[in-house]
Each structure stands twice: as C-alpha cells, then as structure tokens.
Amino acid sequence: MQGAPFLRGETLTLRTVTPSDYEFLLEHGNDPVVRNGAPTPTPVNEDDLAEFVEADDSSVQFLPYHAGTPVGFVFLFDIDPHRDHAEIGCW
C-alpha cells in the first residue's frame, strides 16, 4: 500500500513512507552505488530502517513516485523550523 500523497507535481508525487515500502528501500538503498554517498555507508537492515522512518523525530522521509512506481528516496534532516531551514538527502 502506498503512503499518503504529501505533494503532487506534474511528473512526481511525494508520498509518506510505510512499512510496505521497506523492501524497495532496502533493495535500492543498500546498493553499493547508492550507499556510497549516504551518511551511513554500510548496509542497513529492516530494523535500522524502521527506526529511522518511524522513531527518528529529527527527520522526515518521502518516496517519490512516477507513474505509480517508487523511483527513489528523499529525506529532510537538521530541520530548524525557527529559521525555515532543513537539509535534504536523496537517491
């Protein structure tokens, strides 16, 4: 089941991450080419991923979908609502 739409554009929709997305995220996020530029350059397991998505209150995660298919991962971190500032990570 896809997560709820957060933002819709002409070609992409950003959706919230749900546990049903974990298989996609683990398969692609653990790819050595993708992982090379990641903040955690070692493979993660489902428990690590669930903790990041479900329990990390300091970040927000989304899956970009194109034509109903997930095509990557986007997350905001170092969020400072007082300065309207956040950093973005994506693959």
Side-chain angles (χ1 to χ4, degrees):
M1 178 177 156
Q2 296 176 351
F6 178 77
L7 182 66
R8 286 190 177 105
E10 291 182 28
T11 58
L12 287 177
T13 298
L14 286 182
R15 296 188 174 276
T16 57
V17 178
T18 67
S20 65
D21 298 314
Y22 291 177
E23 183 178 346
F24 169 83
L25 290 169
L26 289 169
E27 177 184 349
H28 297 284
N30 282 328
D31 182 309
V33 173
V34 172
R35 205 177 62 238
N36 185 41
T40 306
T42 56
V44 298
N45 61 36
E46 188 167 341
D47 291 337
D48 298 331
L49 178 61
E51 184 174 337
F52 177 62
V53 172
E54 299 169 20
D56 184 349
D57 292 336
S58 65
S59 65
V60 181
Q61 307 84 23
F62 303 100
L63 257 70
Y65 276 74
H66 174 69
T69 302
V71 294
F73 185 50
V74 176
F75 54 98
L76 302 175
F77 62 101
D78 287 341
I79 300 168
D80 184 345
H82 303 290
R83 293 187 8 211
D84 292 333
H85 172 84
E87 296 200 37
I88 187 169
C90 61
W91 53 259

